[in-house]
Amino acid sequence: MALPKEQVALLNQMNALKRQENDLNAQVAANAAQMGLAQASLKALQTTRIIRPSSPSIEPVGPGKAVFIVIGALMGLMLSVFYVLLTHALASGKGRDAR
């Protein structure tokens, strides 16, 4: 016995809604699990104790001498290349004016 088209369509829609309901229930369960984890993390943070207060470092903190030497060498190289290119451009510009 065949069902009318309207009843078949309604059955298909009901099945689709049941699948959506199952998906939503799974999402609610996953969110509840995440909330439980977040609450456990918050509780762990609330029970954290400070053993001793922080203290400033005795030795200076920063880049060493080698870093400054490398940066200085690179800047010197870049400035010297810029100077050579600038003097070359100015010299070739004077040569064109003389012609």
Side-chain angles (χ1 to χ4, degrees):
M1 170 177 191
L3 294 174
K5 290 181 182 180
E6 294 84 14
Q7 287 181 342
V8 172
L10 288 174
L11 284 174
N12 288 337
Q13 287 178 353
M14 282 180 48
N15 289 334
L17 288 174
K18 285 181 183 178
R19 284 192 298 272
Q20 287 178 354
E21 181 183 16
N22 290 338
D23 291 343
L24 289 175
N25 286 336
Q27 287 178 358
V28 167
N31 287 340
Q34 288 177 351
M35 288 298 293
L37 181 63
Q39 288 175 348
S41 297
L42 182 61
K43 193 170 194 174
L45 283 175
Q46 289 172 345
T47 59
T48 302
R49 294 179 295 140
I50 296 176
I51 297 173
R52 73 182 151 113
S54 62
S55 60
S57 175
I58 296 173
E59 296 182 17
V61 178
K65 290 181 183 179
V67 174
F68 286 120
I69 291 172
V70 170
I71 289 174
L74 289 175
M75 287 182 67
L77 180 67
M78 289 185 343
L79 286 174
S80 62
V81 169
F82 176 73
Y83 176 75
V84 168
L85 291 174
L86 183 65
T87 55
H88 180 70
L90 291 175
S92 64
K94 288 181 184 178
R96 288 186 191 155
D97 292 338
R99 291 182 193 178

